[in-house]
Amino acid sequence: MVPKETKATLDKLVALCKRKGFIFPSAEIYGGVNGIYDTGPLGVLLKRNIKTFWLNSLKNKLGKVVEIDGALIGPRAMWEASGHIENFHDPMIDCLNCKKRFRVDDDNIDINKPCPSCGKKEWTEIRQFNMMFKTNLGATADQATEAYLRPETAQAVFVNFKNVMSTSRVKIPFGIAQIGKSFRNEITPKQFLFRMREFEQMELEWFCKEEDARNHFDCWINKRMDFYKSLGLDQSRMRLRPHEANELAHYSTICTDVEYHFPFGWKELEGIAHRGCFDLSQHMKYSKKDLSVYDEETKESFIPNVVESSVGVDRLFLTILFDSYDEDEADGEIRTVLRFNPKIAPIKAAVLPLSKKLSPQAEKLFEAIEQAGIETDFDESGSIGKRYRRQDEIGTPFCITYDFESDQDNSVTIRDRDSMKQERISIDKVIPYLQNILK
Ligand code: ATP
């Protein structure tokens, strides 16, 4: 399928995110930090909705999914067992002339050609760079106190596998989900939220028997694609890309990426991997603790296989922004609109009194909608057209106008963000109307 044209560019999104309070460069008043961002009020709401949508999508017919929240810092021994100390490297190269550093596998780098930054061809040797952030716990700095900020959330799941099994009354197959921060000292963070040094991941580790693993891997691929469909992402911009044998990570047997067509090309949005029994076996070997499961039917113990689905909250956030960004014409002007799925829109509705004189009555309606648990805005300043534009730009699906007739007919006008059509409905139907769309 040929991806549809988009009016979104990275520059437009970066500017919109800052202008509207979705994302700010971190520590900006000190010049910012490359690859690190802070989330503003609207960004927090959007992220929360994305996470809820993801969690809800994990319900499935194969088995139960429980959630944990593991620590961000892990001891050296854990990262040795997981293979991260040995393998979590990216190949890097430096330009001796301008001192810029690059990832060798970066699409824009060809080491047979001159440096894209200064035009000279004076490369260093290729070296391996471990992307984990290292620290020491307490005042002594030796290998025993060495610890690392996690580069993925998954290991917290594996080391807690037995704790969860013995406390949650779950049976194989079942899943452990986790949403949390991960840290990677990326050589060249870029493309805004696409490649960051501090980011959030949503990961599901699905534990099953070896003989079911391939089938469950395929089931999860389908389920994950259903998730993106129900989120409303343009399917012409999505594809699955199975990994070639030579690009598989150290832990995986088979892996398929969910890719999205960004303005900078087809890129990974999510990785789905059949990890075999690598993780639990490694932790058994290094910790010398038994992480096997007893099978009542066969009367034998086995080490479960794992199917993993891993997507970055921030990368999905950026994808949703690209996907929903649009420009069209309204009242003879170009309007910017974020066509978010209403379920994930940060603000669901805005109550707009046509005149400030109507504010007290309109505020009552606003409070009632908020009380119903629906994120709502109240805006009484500027022309009604300007107020519509403000809400379109942040993706609010519905604007509710309280006008001079509202007092008499007990009705308001609801305007749909996408079609810009307006509908008159009675005030007591507003909340059920919104609830019906958001359920
Ligand atoms: P890439 O090839 O893009 O570096 P990866 O294969 O290293 O990604 P995984 O380790 O599979 O990524 O991580 C799972 C998911 O976490 C990715 O699909 C992506 O959504 C997210 N992710 C990984 N690294 C970053 C990052 N530096 N910034 C933002 N999100 C990230």
Side-chain angles (χ1 to χ4, degrees), residues 68-71 78 150 152-161 178:
I68 67 157
D69 184 12
M78 183 167 122
R150 65 184 187 190
E152 60 174 32
T153 69
Q155 297 309 317
V157 169
F158 301 132
V159 297
N160 279 299
F161 169 69
Q178 188 177 193

Side-chain angles (χ1 to χ4, degrees), residues 220-289:
W220 277 109
I221 290 181
N222 290 335
K223 262 197 81 63
R224 297 303 302 140
M225 290 311 274
D226 288 346
F227 164 80
Y228 292 112
K229 235 181 253 166
S230 59
L231 200 51
L233 292 190
D234 178 352
Q235 295 300 297
S236 76
R237 309 188 137 264
M238 301 207 68
R239 70 176 188 195
L240 288 167
R241 191 184 67 81
H243 278 206
E244 303 288 339
N246 63 0
E247 46 169 345
L248 287 174
H250 62 276
Y251 49 77
S252 69
T253 321
I254 351 172
C255 185
T256 291
D257 285 346
V258 177
E259 291 193 334
Y260 183 83
H261 191 269
F262 292 93
F264 40 88
W266 284 104
K267 298 279 173 202
E268 171 180 339
L269 168 60
E270 164 168 347
I272 305 168
H274 177 337
R275 299 176 71 119
C277 62
F278 176 83
D279 307 281
L280 293 179
S281 304
Q282 284 291 105
H283 287 300
M284 273 178 80
K285 189 168 136 199
Y286 279 73
S287 68
K288 305 199 171 36
K289 300 284 184 312

Side-chain angles (χ1 to χ4, degrees), residues 184 186 194-196 199 201 268-270 310 312 315:
R184 296 184 187 181
E186 297 279 357
F194 185 83
R195 190 169 303 287
M196 303 159 80
F199 56 99
Q201 288 183 307
E268 171 180 339
L269 168 60
E270 164 168 347
S310 172
R315 203 175 277 187

Side-chain angles (χ1 to χ4, degrees), residues 177-237:
Q178 188 177 193
I179 301 176
K181 288 261 179 168
S182 291
F183 304 83
R184 296 184 187 181
N185 199 0
E186 297 279 357
I187 300 167
T188 42
K190 59 179 179 180
Q191 281 135 352
F192 193 32
L193 308 180
F194 185 83
R195 190 169 303 287
M196 303 159 80
R197 289 188 166 131
E198 176 182 332
F199 56 99
E200 240 179 324
Q201 288 183 307
M202 302 188 283
E203 298 198 296
L204 168 74
E205 308 303 326
W206 179 258
F207 298 91
C208 58
K209 288 187 174 170
E210 188 183 356
E211 57 268 33
D212 294 329
R214 180 59 224 238
N215 178 18
H216 289 193
F217 174 74
D218 292 337
C219 288
W220 277 109
I221 290 181
N222 290 335
K223 262 197 81 63
R224 297 303 302 140
M225 290 311 274
D226 288 346
F227 164 80
Y228 292 112
K229 235 181 253 166
S230 59
L231 200 51
L233 292 190
D234 178 352
Q235 295 300 297
S236 76
R237 309 188 137 264

